[in-house]
């Protein structure tokens, strides 16, 4: 199914070149998790067209590794000088002997079924260094406007909320699980107005959720995607 994944979502070569060469905006929680040491091992699982890896390379990180099963993505990355493993993530982790200070899964976990996630997490634990971290981004199952991202890709299988993400990683032995919203507001005056409207509506929605189920409101995150920073 992933052989022609890029073609299926209508991304052109020009789009790929632009996205690859653009510096990826990293929100504060990701910036704070990046290691100061530019020589540590960093693994990007499901690295796609490589924009995150290329951003790290521009910042001086030297030991960058990627895994991407998609044929088109691999061909593109090879043309850019990135030689990533073309394996299923679980198979790669089973055979890998390296440890990593940082392992990232951007828009990846939702492509796994629940039984696959149960197999994946112990493998991630084994490959993560003692002081390292996982960064996970995926669709938020309780987002206010969740449908377009959750069901906009036929290959999506599993969604999490803040509450279920904490539960999942705690079950598999991770000691620290912090979950954050992902806002996409710009800096223009229109974006500022949009932010005021969105945040006001989110507060009203949370009040209604509190009335309906106070326990759910405690963990509520409104955004379509959520970000997890997870440590051993």
């Amino acid at each position: 199914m992933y052989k022609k994944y890029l073609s299926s979502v209508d991304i052109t070569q020009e789009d790929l070149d632009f996205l690859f060469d653009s510096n990826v905006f990293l929100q504060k929680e990701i910036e704070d998790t990046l290691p100061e040491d530019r020589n540590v091992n960093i693994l990007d699982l499901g690295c796609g067209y490589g924009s995150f890896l290329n951003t790290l390379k521009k910042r001086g990180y030297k030991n960058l590794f990627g895994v991407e099963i998609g044929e088109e993505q691999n061909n593109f990355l090879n043309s850019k000088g990135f030689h990533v493993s073309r394996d299923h993530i679980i198979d790669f982790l089973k055979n890998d002997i390296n440890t990593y200070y940082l392992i990232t899964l951007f828009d990846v976990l939702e492509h796994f079924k629940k039984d696959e996630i149960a197999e994946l997490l112990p493998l991630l634990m084994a490959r993560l260094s003692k002081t390292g971290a996982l960064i996970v981004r995926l669709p938020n199952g309780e987002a206010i406007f969740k449908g377009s991202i959750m069901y906009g890709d036929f290959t999506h299988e599993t969604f999490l909320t803040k509450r279920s993400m904490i539960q999942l990683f705690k079950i598999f032995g991770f000691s620290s699980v912090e979950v954050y919203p992902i806002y996409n507001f710009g800096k223009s005056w229109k974006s500022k107005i949009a932010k005021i409207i969105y945040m006001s509506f989110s507060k009203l929605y949370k009040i209604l959720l509190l009335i309906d189920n106070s326990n759910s409101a405690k963990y509520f995150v409104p955004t379509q995607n959520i970000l997890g920073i997870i440590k051993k």
Side-chain angles (χ1 to χ4, degrees):
M1 185 176 293
Y2 293 100
K3 186 176 181 180
K4 298 295 182 182
Y5 184 79
L6 288 183
S7 299
S8 74
V9 292
D10 296 325
I11 295 180
T12 66
Q13 183 66 43
E14 291 75 19
D15 293 333
L16 286 176
D17 288 330
F18 175 78
L19 292 169
F20 177 81
D21 290 327
S22 300
N23 288 319
V24 176
F25 169 77
L26 304 177
Q27 70 181 65
K28 181 180 183 300
E29 291 81 10
I30 298 176
E31 291 281 7
D32 291 344
T33 307
L34 293 180
E36 293 184 6
D37 185 353
R38 263 47 177 181
N39 294 307
V40 297
N41 290 342
I42 297 176
L43 174 63
D44 188 13
L45 295 171
C47 57
Y49 44 80
S51 58
F52 179 68
L53 287 175
N54 194 41
T55 296
L56 293 184
K57 182 179 178 181
K58 292 177 184 177
R59 294 189 181 197
Y61 290 97
K62 298 178 175 62
N63 295 311
L64 302 174
F65 303 85
V67 179
E68 176 53 61
I69 197 170
E71 178 182 340
E72 293 171 314
Q73 295 96 313
N74 262 268
N75 291 338
F76 175 77
L77 287 169
N78 285 334
S79 73
K80 297 294 185 179
F82 280 90
H83 301 289
V84 302
S85 298
R86 188 184 168 193
D87 292 317
H88 190 284
I89 288 172
I90 289 177
D91 293 335
F92 172 84
L93 292 172
K94 283 181 177 179
N95 296 311
D96 192 22
I97 60 173
N98 292 322
T99 56
Y100 303 90
Y101 183 90
L102 180 65
I103 301 176
T104 59
L105 299 97
F106 292 112
D107 310 321
V108 172
L109 206 60
E110 63 268 28
H111 296 274
F112 287 83
K113 296 178 181 179
K114 288 184 177 179
D115 59 335
E116 294 174 320
I117 293 174
E119 184 179 8
L120 172 65
L121 264 59
L123 298 173
L124 292 172
M125 175 73 84
R127 299 274 61 85
L128 192 65
S129 68
K130 291 182 179 180
T131 57
L134 299 175
I135 298 178
V136 179
R137 182 180 68 200
L138 80 164
N140 177 16
E142 66 175 353
I144 299 175
F145 308 108
K146 54 181 174 285
S148 62
I149 289 183
M150 287 175 61
Y151 300 107
D153 188 329
F154 182 71
T155 64
H156 287 177
E157 296 280 354
T158 303
F159 312 108
L160 297 176
T161 66
K162 177 179 180 178
R163 187 177 183 180
S164 62
M165 181 182 281
I166 293 171
Q167 177 192 35
L168 174 65
F169 284 92
K170 290 280 188 177
I171 286 173
F172 285 92
F174 292 89
S175 64
S176 174
V177 185
E178 300 292 337
V179 181
Y180 303 94
I182 299 176
Y183 296 107
N184 296 304
F185 301 115
K187 296 182 178 180
S188 68
W189 66 268
K190 290 183 179 180
S191 295
K192 291 178 180 179
I193 293 174
K195 182 178 180 179
I196 292 171
I197 296 171
Y198 181 90
M199 298 304 289
S200 298
F201 182 80
S202 297
K203 289 179 180 178
L204 175 60
Y205 188 95
K206 188 172 182 178
I207 290 171
L208 295 175
L209 187 61
L210 183 64
I211 295 170
D212 181 65
N213 188 326
S214 60
N215 197 38
S216 295
K218 176 182 176 182
Y219 293 93
F220 174 65
V221 176
T223 56
Q224 292 195 60
N225 286 310
I226 49 177
L227 178 73
I229 307 293
I230 300 132
K231 298 180 180 180
K232 277 188 172 182

